[in-house]
Amino acid sequence: MFSVLYPLALLLQLSAFLWKLRDFLRDPRDPRLGAITLALLFVASGFNFAIPGVYLAVGAASGVPNLSTLAVYSSIVLCTASLQVCSVNLARDRESAVPAGRTLVLGTTAVLVVMALLFAVAPVHDAAHVLDFDAHYSGVAEIAVFLAVYLGAYSLGLVRSALICLRIRPHARDRWLRLGVTLVPIGVALGLGYSALKVVAVAATWLGGDLAVVSTVVAPVSATAGASVMAVGYVLPSMPRLLRRWRARRYLRPMLQALRPLDPELVRNTRLESAEYRWLIATDDLLRELRPYLDPRVVAVAERHADRAGLTGDERAATIEAARIAAGLRAHEAGERPGSGSAMIREDVGMDGAEAAVWRFPEQDPRRDLAEELHWLCLIGEAFTGPHPVVRDVLAELAPARPTAGTESPS
């Protein structure tokens, strides 16, 4: 069973690690992102060493049959320590978080040294025990202390992570962040179940009982489930970025391609942190090039058709702007310049941008404004790329002409 379960858990943890690594590389000065990224890497390392084939290979290569047990438990301690560093940076300002982080590093180092010394002196080097190390050696005093130190550090880290998530949840406006900080405590509960089951199994051994199946099957399954749920919880707050990129690729990029003939060389080499922001900047620049081709008559015609279609709010505003762009591109293709060059495509309509902004962008962060503007341009792009029936009606009323790219009627 664990020959399949552990590789699957490893794949999930590595996927979560790579996802968070992208966020961290874009903002390497954020200690919270760095700590979560490291935590996911460490837990992935733990699952890697726990895979039976890897466990045996490490033992054979090192000459220490159960060395992977130390590697697994050390990885988990490092994971929970990283989560605590993240929690400290979420709960405190930078000045007070730095000394608290140093204390955590020193404490974690002490735990790892104690675990390594106990493992070295304990009589556990006779044969490999891939799945039953704890059950087989729990009657050994050194290993009982070894497990107590490991489970204590592991459980403390989980509890602190759960508490900070519970503190964040009432203030989480973004639904993905709220779901993420809800899942993490659930994963923590499963992880603490693993600790409790291990303690019960060790206690039973010292009292003359035998709960080996609890230690070797039930507890590892609980820990695996807990780690998987927590990994999903830590990744979910990044979903707005994924959804933003998907919308930009589907709606903004086609409109950008339609605008390219205005100036094919414009901002070709623009370098920004992500593709969607490159598309945004390029689209803004090309919309400025479109100004001489914006016909003043289009607004009134588009408003009339939008009202007739019952459009309201952002959909109405975005559809009107899409009609202006489509009409401007048609004028450009025809070589006409009906505008004064002063009219602009509106860059916003007073949206609060709550759905567009990524949760970790504070109000003063300029990337939040970019996220809101990107959301607005995607709304225009959706109406333009469709095209929206109002856009087709406006073009048909103004003048019959060859349709521009992005506004062809579906056949």
Side-chain angles (χ1 to χ4, degrees):
M1 177 177 71
F2 291 104
S3 296
V4 175
L5 183 62
Y6 286 159
L8 290 176
L10 171 62
L11 181 61
L12 174 63
Q13 299 297 332
L14 283 177
S15 299
F17 161 71
L18 292 174
W19 181 264
K20 277 298 178 185
L21 181 62
R22 289 188 61 188
D23 287 342
F24 176 64
L25 292 177
R26 289 175 176 175
D27 193 3
R29 293 176 295 179
D30 189 335
R32 300 165 299 174
L33 282 174
I36 291 178
T37 304
L38 278 177
L40 293 169
L41 177 61
F42 285 135
V43 75
S45 174
F47 279 115
N48 175 63
F49 285 112
I51 296 172
V54 176
Y55 190 106
L56 293 173
V58 170
S62 65
V64 182
N66 295 301
L67 183 60
S68 281
T69 291
L70 179 62
V72 170
Y73 291 172
S74 297
S75 297
I76 299 306
V77 169
L78 288 168
C79 167
T80 54
S82 298
L83 293 179
Q84 290 183 76
V85 170
C86 176
S87 299
V88 165
N89 280 277
L90 283 170
R92 306 185 185 187
D93 57 42
R94 185 65 59 88
E95 290 184 1
S96 60
V98 170
R102 290 198 192 102
T103 301
L104 280 170
V105 171
L106 292 174
T108 302
T109 302
V111 168
L112 295 176
V113 169
V114 171
M115 288 173 57
L117 290 174
L118 290 169
F119 180 83
V121 301
V124 295
H125 310 299
D126 51 341
H129 289 273
V130 180
L131 300 175
D132 64 341
F133 178 90
D134 296 351
H136 188 80
Y137 294 114
S138 58
V140 177
E142 294 90 341
I143 293 304
V145 178
F146 170 85
L147 292 174
V149 173
Y150 156 63
L151 292 173
Y154 169 75
S155 300
L156 176 62
L158 291 185
V159 169
R160 294 190 69 174
S161 299
L163 289 177
I164 196 65
C165 286
L166 292 174
R167 189 183 305 172
I168 292 172
R169 191 181 188 283
H171 308 287
R173 291 183 300 172
D174 179 81
R175 65 180 183 274
W176 295 105
L177 173 60
R178 188 163 56 250
L179 180 57
V181 296
T182 299
L183 286 178
V184 170
I186 294 174
V188 166
L190 292 169
L192 293 176
Y194 160 81
S195 295
L197 292 169
K198 284 288 187 181
V199 169
V200 168
V202 171
T205 299
W206 281 84
L207 294 174
D210 182 7
L211 292 179
V213 68
V214 171
S215 180
T216 60
V217 178
V218 182
V221 169
S222 181
T224 302
S228 300
V229 171
M230 283 188 283
V232 173
Y234 282 118
V235 166
L236 279 179
S238 298
M239 281 299 294
R241 177 171 63 80
L242 177 63
L243 295 175
R244 187 180 67 230
R245 182 178 179 83
W246 175 81
R247 282 182 58 80
R249 182 174 291 277
R250 182 172 181 182
Y251 299 123
L252 179 59
R253 195 178 183 187
M255 186 168 70
L256 172 61
Q257 295 303 320
L259 291 166
R260 284 287 185 189
L262 292 166
D263 190 341
E265 298 300 320
L266 189 65
V267 297
R268 180 184 295 274
N269 297 317
T270 300
R271 295 180 61 84
L272 287 172
E273 66 173 20
S274 64
E276 58 266 33
Y277 285 147
R278 289 197 298 272
W279 301 336
L280 182 151
I281 299 301
T283 300
D284 277 347
D285 288 342
L286 288 169
L287 286 176
R288 288 181 176 85
E289 295 287 317
L290 187 65
R291 286 181 295 180
Y293 305 98
L294 296 177
D295 191 335
R297 297 178 300 160
V298 176
V299 175
V301 175
E303 287 178 345
R304 176 160 43 81
H305 282 283
D307 292 339
R308 184 179 301 166
L311 303 184
T312 59
D314 290 343
E315 182 185 9
R316 179 182 186 275
T319 303
I320 291 170
E321 299 306 292
R324 294 180 67 207
I325 293 171
L329 286 173
R330 190 165 69 175
H332 173 263
E333 289 183 354
E336 302 172 355
R337 299 171 69 92
S340 64
S342 60
M344 288 287 291
I345 297 297
R346 286 180 289 177
E347 296 181 350
D348 65 76
V349 289
M351 297 185 305
D352 61 14
E355 295 184 359
V358 178
W359 70 272
R360 65 186 180 87
F361 292 169
E363 295 288 347
Q364 68 274 14
D365 194 317
R367 288 172 297 178
R368 185 181 183 92
D369 293 335
L370 284 175
E372 295 176 12
E373 184 179 350
L374 184 65
H375 181 64
W376 169 235
L377 283 178
C378 284
L379 288 177
I380 297 176
E382 183 176 0
F384 175 86
T385 303
H388 194 284
V390 167
V391 175
R392 290 199 299 265
D393 292 343
V394 169
L395 293 178
E397 178 174 334
L398 288 173
R402 181 172 58 87
T404 187
T407 58
E408 295 90 343
S409 299
S411 56

